[in-house]
Amino acid sequence: MEGLVMRSTGSWYEVREKESEQVYRCRLRGKFKIKGLKVTNPLAVGDRVTFELEETEEETGVITEIHQRDNYLIRKSTRKVRHGHIIGANLDQAILVCTLVMPRTSQGFIDRFLVSCESYHIPAVLVFNKSDILVPEALEIQEELMELYESLGYKCLAISAKKGDGLDAFRELLKGKVSILSGHSGVGKSTVINAIAPEVEQWTQEISTYANKGVHTTTFAEMFEIEPGTFLIDTPGIKELGLMDIKEEEIAGYFPEFRALLSECRFYNCSHIHEPGCAVREAMKEGYIDEGRYLSYLSMIEGDDNRR
Ligand code: GDP
Ligand code: ZN
């Protein structure tokens, strides 16, 4: 049988059978490895698998094969370098909820998120929440940012989860897709989810109760079908997607506006920092590349701004 991993709780996975949509509790048999990666979980929500039923009364299953992933997201381990935890597989989009104030999501943080998504081949969307509390100057900055990112090919949306503004457009954005939500704590992720899918929010609350009791919750992840064919992955504690396994010389290629210029730099291995004849810096000076984006690039190269 073939199915979709809807929930993971450590060693057990809930798998929804493709045709009947019945959910079975399954275990993994054998050892599964992902090339070049050390991950704490071989299987994640969103994975498509082959499984067989065991001859038990509870109709549990054994997963025998993990199908090739279109993409996956990894959170890097805070304890071990080059170790990670797969957050979800086969994602249609990753949504960053950001806010200009309370808290302020910096452009550096946004750009890191976008670079991560580019490197994982996951379309990224920026949702600017708390639009209701912005003073005109801040609103103007938000509009400029949205214009910038839209020009780079990223979908942007301004909403107010509290007032309900833009929530129809938000629902539309999710429709028929598998999405994952990310963002600093306090930007309003729970409020947004609660407004569009109260059942998900309730589950998230339960998980954070476990977390407060010291139960190891990082292995919990669940995919919710908020309406037929529309899935939302919510896992506790995702703040930042790590820039795992991205080589310094690859970073420029994950900035769409740099990408086209890279072959025009005088030196093939140009770092776009100090070399003469650098097409990227030239474009920035002429105003074709946003200075903030270039600064984000620099900080990623210098690797010193996990907190920006
Ligand atoms: P999370 O940490 O991202 O899940 O953020 P929460 O959903 O818990 O929201 C943090 C705070 O921001 C709460 O006090 C919410 O009431 C508030 N909040 C969320 N969305 C909005 C919004 O659109 N406008 C305003 N003014 N406040 C909001
Ligand atoms: Zn260059």
Side-chain angles (χ1 to χ4, degrees):
M1 293 195 284
E2 291 189 2
L4 180 65
V5 178
M6 299 290 289
R7 186 173 194 189
S8 114
T9 57
S11 46
W12 286 95
Y13 301 93
E14 283 178 18
V15 178
R16 193 170 82 168
E17 203 272 323
K18 212 173 169 181
E19 309 291 325
S20 65
E21 302 207 338
Q22 189 174 332
V23 175
Y24 296 94
R25 265 162 59 82
C26 296
R27 287 177 297 126
L28 257 185
R29 183 159 62 198
K31 285 211 186 335
F32 293 88
K33 275 202 179 132
I34 300 170
K35 223 172 126 201
L37 275 175
K38 287 182 184 138
V39 288
T40 48
N41 56 334
L43 192 60
V45 290
D47 260 320
R48 297 183 278 253
V49 297
T50 302
F51 68 104
E52 9 182 278
L53 288 188
E54 294 175 302
E55 305 204 343
T56 57
E57 272 171 35
E58 302 92 41
E59 290 215 298
T60 53
V62 174
I63 295 162
T64 55
E65 198 187 326
I66 306 172
H67 300 191
Q68 173 124 36
R69 296 177 171 124
D70 296 336
N71 58 38
Y72 55 85
L73 268 183
I74 279 200
R75 177 177 45 216
K76 63 182 167 187
S77 163
T78 47
R79 276 163 296 173
K80 282 186 179 169
V81 201
R82 304 220 154 266
H83 281 237
H85 186 83
I86 307 177
I87 297 164
N90 303 313
L91 306 167
D92 291 312
Q93 58 189 2
I95 299 172
L96 182 71
V97 180
C98 35
T99 44
L100 272 244
V101 292
M102 300 208 307
R104 193 176 86 88
T105 308
S106 70
Q107 195 178 3
F109 187 82
I110 294 175
D111 290 333
R112 268 179 178 276
F113 171 84
L114 295 175
V115 163
S116 298
C117 291
E118 292 279 341
S119 77
Y120 292 123
H121 306 288
I122 300 168
V125 179
L126 301 178
V127 170
F128 293 85
N129 189 32
K130 306 200 187 184
S131 295
D132 58 300
I133 52 168
L134 298 185
V135 297
E137 292 77 17
L139 203 57
E140 204 171 299
I141 295 172
Q142 175 171 297
E143 276 161 12
E144 278 169 17
L145 280 175
M146 288 176 69
E147 206 172 296
L148 165 66
Y149 287 108
E150 259 162 12
S151 77
L152 301 176
Y154 301 109
K155 224 181 265 173
C156 295
L157 186 65
I159 65 165
S160 163
K162 205 166 202 171
K163 287 202 160 173
D165 299 339
L167 290 184
D168 285 340
F170 187 74
R171 278 191 203 92
E172 200 54 41
L173 190 79
L174 301 178
K175 220 182 185 81
K177 295 195 165 129
V178 177
S179 309
I180 191 154
L181 226 56
S182 182
H184 279 310
S185 124
V187 293
K189 292 181 300 296
S190 318
T191 312
V192 179
I193 296 173
N194 200 22
I196 60 157
E199 69 282 9
V200 181
E201 177 49 21
Q202 198 186 339
W203 178 81
T204 309
Q205 292 297 335
E206 275 170 39
I207 294 298
S208 51
T209 313
Y210 280 122
N212 289 337
K213 286 182 187 157
V215 179
H216 187 61
T217 54
T218 53
T219 50
F220 286 84
E222 185 157 16
M223 192 152 96
F224 287 90
E225 190 169 36
I226 58 175
E227 59 177 87
T230 300
F231 297 91
L232 199 58
I233 295 177
D234 192 45
T235 90
I238 306 182
K239 285 188 187 157
E240 193 175 355
L241 309 169
L243 290 178
M244 243 181 80
D245 295 326
I246 303 182
K247 294 194 187 77
E248 213 168 271
E249 60 270 26
E250 289 173 358
I251 293 178
Y254 295 130
F255 282 71
E257 72 273 48
F258 293 14
R259 215 177 282 150
L261 297 169
L262 299 181
S263 59
E264 288 174 32
C265 292
R266 187 178 305 162
F267 301 104
Y268 81 97
N269 58 352
C270 185
S271 70
H272 323 297
I273 300 176
H274 51 72
E275 293 86 346
C278 170
V280 171
R281 282 211 345 262
E282 196 56 36
M284 201 233 339
K285 278 183 211 139
E286 286 172 16
Y288 296 113
I289 284 180
D290 175 75
E291 201 180 340
R293 290 275 291 168
Y294 181 71
L295 291 176
S296 293
Y297 168 74
L298 284 187
S299 71
M300 280 179 227
I301 292 294
E302 287 156 9
D304 63 351
D305 78 329
N306 281 316
R307 247 161 276 282
R308 263 187 83 215

